[in-house]
Amino acid sequence: MSRLAVFAAALAAVLSFAPVAQAQSVPLRLYTLDCGTLALDDMAPFSDTGEHAGERGVMAVPCFLIRHGSEWLLWDTGLGDRLAAVPGGISQFGGRWTVGRTLVSQLAGLGLKPSDITYVALSHTHADHSGNANLFPNATWIMDPVELVGLHADPAPLGVIPSLLTVLDHATIRRFDGDADVFGDGSVLILKTPGHTPGHKSLLIRLKGAGPILLTGDLYHTRENRAYHRVPSVNVSRADTLASFARFDGVAAHENARIIVQHSTEDVATLPVAPAWLE
């Protein structure tokens, strides 16, 4: 795709963003949960122009819980509670995956059980974002259908472990292509940002006190990815990634949003840890 075509796609995506103007009328809170850590042997895959070759790195793996009145949205589900029982974690996909606190125990600290979660949405279906998916068979799943296709591919896409997502064979799924207004009042919007995977999404939360917050998913993996628009070599589409960078940055500027790069230990460290919250 030419640079002009990439720019045109990005511009169209920015212009298509039509937030609901209705005022938020119910309490909205954002909780950050610790859903694991990735210690990576080589950060080379996170730039296709070679800047990170040979570097070691550590990435945070948070999950985010949004309370909207009496309803709850869980955004991403982490590495998987099963890893908490494995001393030192496991080696997988070029790094060591460790879990110090289970998602279930952190929900319990808020007085919740997995069955209390109303909605679950994933930025994408990679295993570091879907490890606890099967804990939520009673939730309504908000999913782009294109992300579901890979779960039945042979072989599965790189980074996807279909057995972690068998819940989707039987769960209620709210399918959407594009953006999704989770609660119908414009307070929480799932944004289409493909490129890392075909149906990748980011999340905008419009908090009254703390202001708008944008969660990147894996659109960006590090602060350097964002600052220099470095495209991971493992992404399915470079052109879509660049268009999504432009769209995301346009939304961030329009909303004057605080950006949280989800895998950035620095960004995640700026957030209060549950049971504390932002509102």
Side-chain angles (χ1 to χ4, degrees):
M1 183 182 289
S2 69
R3 290 183 179 180
L4 180 59
V6 170
F7 175 78
L11 180 61
V14 171
L15 293 176
S16 70
F17 178 67
V20 177
Q22 180 180 347
Q24 177 189 313
S25 59
V26 297
L28 191 70
R29 291 180 177 178
L30 173 66
Y31 297 85
T32 302
L33 309 176
D34 177 3
C35 289
T37 302
L38 299 173
L40 300 164
D41 302 326
D42 188 351
M43 296 285 286
F46 298 101
S47 174
D48 64 5
T49 47
E51 288 86 356
H52 301 301
E55 294 178 4
R56 292 179 176 271
V58 175
M59 289 187 175
V61 184
C63 303
F64 295 94
L65 188 65
I66 295 99
R67 178 183 177 184
H68 180 274
S70 61
E71 296 183 301
W72 297 88
L73 166 69
L74 180 64
W75 174 256
D76 285 337
T77 71
L79 300 186
D81 283 5
R82 70 196 184 284
L83 300 186
V86 182
I90 63 170
S91 292
Q92 190 164 247
F93 297 123
R96 183 151 292 274
W97 298 32
T98 57
V99 172
R101 302 176 62 199
T102 65
L103 175 56
V104 168
S105 69
Q106 292 174 78
L107 291 176
L110 297 170
L112 299 171
K113 305 181 297 298
S115 59
D116 294 321
I117 303 305
T118 317
Y119 302 105
V120 178
L122 304 179
S123 56
H124 59 302
T125 54
H126 283 171
D128 55 320
H129 296 258
S130 60
N132 284 310
N134 288 337
L135 293 177
F136 302 97
N138 298 320
T140 294
W141 285 75
I142 307 175
M143 298 288 296
D144 188 318
V146 73
E147 282 292 298
L148 301 175
V149 172
L151 301 180
H152 301 285
D154 187 13
L158 178 67
V160 175
I161 301 177
S163 62
L164 297 177
L165 287 150
T166 55
V167 63
L168 295 175
D169 293 336
H170 307 287
T172 299
I173 302 176
R174 178 174 151 191
R175 291 172 168 82
F176 73 103
D177 177 17
D179 299 341
D181 183 348
V182 176
F183 300 108
D185 62 1
S187 62
V188 180
L189 298 173
I190 299 173
L191 304 179
K192 183 176 183 177
T193 52
H196 183 58
T197 65
H200 183 275
K201 309 294 182 184
S202 302
L203 191 70
L204 171 64
I205 309 108
R206 291 179 169 133
L207 297 169
K208 282 188 174 180
I213 291 180
L214 272 166
L215 304 178
T216 62
D218 277 6
L219 178 61
Y220 303 106
H221 290 81
T222 66
R223 287 181 169 180
E224 290 78 13
N225 276 145
R226 180 165 184 269
Y228 303 109
H229 281 181
R230 292 173 182 165
V231 178
S233 60
V234 294
N235 282 18
V236 299
S237 172
R238 195 175 211 278
D240 284 351
T241 300
L242 292 173
S244 292
F245 285 169
R247 187 199 185 195
F248 185 95
D249 290 349
V251 172
H254 174 73
E255 295 279 337
N256 192 25
R258 176 181 176 183
I259 294 169
I260 300 297
V261 178
Q262 287 186 213
H263 279 309
S264 166
T265 57
E266 301 95 334
D267 281 9
V268 174
T270 68
L271 297 170
V273 178
W277 66 82
L278 291 176
E279 63 183 3

